[in-house]
Amino acid sequence: MEESSGGISSMKFFSDQHLSYADILLPHEARARIEVSVLNLLRVLNSPDPAISDLSLINRKRSNSCINEGVLTDVSYIFLSTSFTKTSLTNAKTAKAFVRVWKVMEMCFQILLLEKRVTQRELFYKLLCDSPDYFSSQIEVNRTVQDVVALLRCSRYSLGIMASSRGLVAGRLFLQEPGKEAVDCSACGSSGFAITGDLNLLDNTIMRSDARYIIIVEKHAIFHRLVEDRVFNHIPCVFITAKGYPDIATRFFVHRLSTTFPDLPILALVDWNPAGLAILCTFKFGSIGMGLEAYRYACNVKWIGLRGDDLNLIPEESLVPLKPKDSQIAKSLLSSKILQDNYRDELSLMVQTGKRAEIEALYCHGYDYLGKYIATKIVQGKYI
């Protein structure tokens, strides 16, 4: 997309508000915003000199991101300022993107009328059937959904789009969805309890816990090991994993835990590599791609491990060279405004050594060592 220079013919709709955030709306409110957008388009088309210059959308690039540092709370988050990009019908490079916005908006309107919710994957296949000339990949749908969010200033969930969830939870937590029996997350076995993608259901789930810590685990295999060993019996905690890079539902779930149990520290156990730090930062600050909604998911997450001072616990042969992808992620993080100094020092050490370490490297001390490692870190207060 290109930078917008403004202009009288720009169709800003809801994008000219001062603050860049997405509202959570009721279905009829979201439909009303879609209807206003369509009426604005028709007004331009029916003008004596119809000129559809562009759709002004919030710029979702790093250059337009800022960090809001908590003053009354410990939570900081990414937000987007009011710099715009444009998608133009008259520009050959962006004409299809312009049409995609209206196609997705139309589909969302139908979904809201039917009082249904769909995942972005389901939305892709429906659009692929209805408009194959405009939608050929999932990424095109994902980007267009974010364009619609930026245009209408309402969340994806308000548009009837449900998050796909990979997240699991286990440990000292009881969850009770409306009208259902409570689920004991300590009795769900090593597979844990699946986190729903229905954000409204998550928001209305009753939570009870006697835990003292919430621990995010980057990897499913590590989560499985900790839960199978019932580490939560020795360290009163709740374990959560998104099986890698966190999806929206898992981030919302962690945020909901943080507001329900505000005194519980949230700790993250990730690989000592740039990708692990990027995962932690997504839970902690949100993401630029979802900058309009980031503040709804940010939490005050602390880094418990792995960190540079743990390298003495790991055999030299278990350290592996950084991959090209790691170097790209490191460069991106180091250039960002969000990285605090101690995180920046850790990342710089990774780059200087050219090495990365995985959590599994701690198994050299035995398969039951992970629980001891976490307990030692907690007792020593070694999380940043």
Side-chain angles (χ1 to χ4, degrees):
M1 292 185 181
E2 302 172 5
E3 291 293 331
S4 174
S5 58
I8 297 174
S9 58
S10 296
M11 294 187 293
K12 291 188 177 180
F13 302 148
F14 298 96
S15 301
D16 54 357
Q17 297 175 29
H18 179 65
L19 298 175
S20 297
Y21 63 88
D23 298 317
I24 294 179
L25 304 177
L26 295 172
H28 74 275
E29 294 172 326
R31 292 200 311 269
R33 289 201 180 182
I34 293 173
E35 288 168 344
V36 169
S37 297
V38 173
L39 287 173
N40 280 334
L41 174 63
L42 293 175
R43 177 179 54 79
V44 173
L45 288 173
N46 288 325
S47 66
D49 183 22
I52 305 175
S53 173
D54 59 76
L55 284 174
S56 292
L57 307 172
I58 293 295
N59 182 356
R60 299 193 306 277
K61 293 184 179 180
R62 186 179 299 281
S63 59
N64 191 40
S65 67
C66 301
I67 184 74
N68 180 41
E69 297 182 6
V71 176
L72 300 178
T73 71
D74 293 326
V75 179
S76 299
Y77 58 85
I78 291 170
F79 71 96
L80 299 177
S81 62
T82 51
S83 170
F84 293 95
T85 62
K86 70 178 180 180
T87 299
S88 175
L89 184 61
T90 58
N91 185 325
K93 293 182 179 179
T94 61
K96 277 195 172 183
F98 183 98
V99 176
R100 287 188 199 112
V101 168
W102 298 102
K103 292 284 186 182
V104 168
M105 212 184 298
E106 177 190 17
M107 194 66 67
C108 289
F109 191 84
Q110 294 172 2
I111 292 166
L112 292 168
L113 277 178
L114 294 170
E115 298 183 345
K116 299 287 186 182
R117 296 203 179 276
V118 300
T119 64
Q120 288 193 171
R121 192 64 177 167
E122 291 171 325
L123 185 62
F124 164 62
Y125 280 110
K126 181 66 171 135
L127 289 165
L128 186 64
C129 291
D130 292 358
S131 308
D133 293 337
Y134 294 98
F135 297 94
S136 58
S137 68
Q138 181 72 59
I139 195 168
E140 287 177 344
V141 174
N142 296 350
R143 286 174 177 169
T144 306
V145 167
Q146 282 302 309
D147 284 343
V148 173
V149 167
L151 182 68
L152 300 178
R153 294 296 186 85
C154 65
S155 68
R156 289 192 288 183
Y157 193 78
S158 300
L159 294 170
I161 300 172
M162 186 171 65
S164 296
S165 178
R166 302 183 305 275
L168 300 171
V169 58
R172 299 166 83 122
L173 179 68
F174 284 85
L175 299 174
Q176 186 171 11
E177 297 176 356
K180 293 187 178 181
E181 294 291 324
V183 174
D184 180 358
C185 294
S186 69
C188 294
S190 58
S191 297
F193 181 73
I195 297 170
T196 178
D198 188 332
L199 302 190
N200 186 56
L201 191 59
L202 284 178
D203 202 31
N204 289 286
T205 295
I206 297 171
M207 298 178 168
R208 292 184 288 113
S209 178
D210 64 350
R212 293 177 59 191
Y213 306 94
I214 298 166
I215 302 178
I216 298 167
V217 183
E218 174 186 349
K219 293 178 168 179
H220 184 208
I222 301 297
F223 172 89
H224 186 280
R225 168 58 55 199
L226 291 167
V227 176
E228 186 174 66
D229 292 349
R230 299 186 70 80
V231 171
F232 51 77
N233 284 341
H234 311 292
I235 304 171
C237 67
V238 177
F239 287 116
I240 298 164
T241 185
K243 303 179 185 177
Y245 193 85
D247 55 85
I248 296 170
T250 306
R251 286 160 58 186
F252 184 86
F253 184 79
V254 174
H255 183 266
R256 176 75 206 287
L257 282 174
S258 74
T259 56
T260 305
F261 310 107
D263 296 329
L264 299 189
I266 305 175
L267 312 176
L269 180 64
V270 299
D271 286 341
W272 190 71
N273 62 21
L277 181 54
I279 288 169
L280 185 155
C281 287
T282 301
F283 276 110
K284 188 176 181 73
F285 303 113
S287 60
I288 292 171
M290 287 191 60
L292 290 165
E293 301 179 76
Y295 71 99
R296 300 190 191 281
Y297 310 109
C299 302
N300 185 26
V301 180
K302 301 292 186 181
W303 190 1
I304 194 171
L306 290 176
R307 298 209 310 271
D309 58 5
D310 297 320
L311 297 184
N312 63 320
L313 300 173
I314 297 171
E316 181 67 28
E317 54 268 27
S318 294
L319 299 176
V320 296
L322 290 178
K323 298 177 181 178
K325 181 67 173 177
D326 290 317
S327 299
Q328 292 174 10
I329 296 171
K331 183 178 179 181
S332 176
L333 284 171
L334 286 169
S335 67
S336 73
K337 305 169 187 175
I338 66 171
L339 214 59
Q340 58 198 60
D341 289 342
N342 44 13
Y343 287 13
R344 195 175 295 276
D345 292 343
E346 289 280 345
L347 193 56
S348 296
L349 181 60
M350 296 175 200
V351 174
Q352 289 167 12
T353 60
K355 299 291 185 180
R356 62 201 296 269
E358 298 189 352
I359 302 167
E360 288 89 344
L362 293 173
Y363 286 155
C364 67
H365 301 284
Y367 288 113
D368 62 347
Y369 182 71
L370 280 179
K372 298 174 184 175
Y373 168 83
I374 294 172
T376 300
K377 287 278 191 174
I378 288 175
V379 169
Q380 296 176 349
K382 286 192 172 182
Y383 38 86
I384 56 178

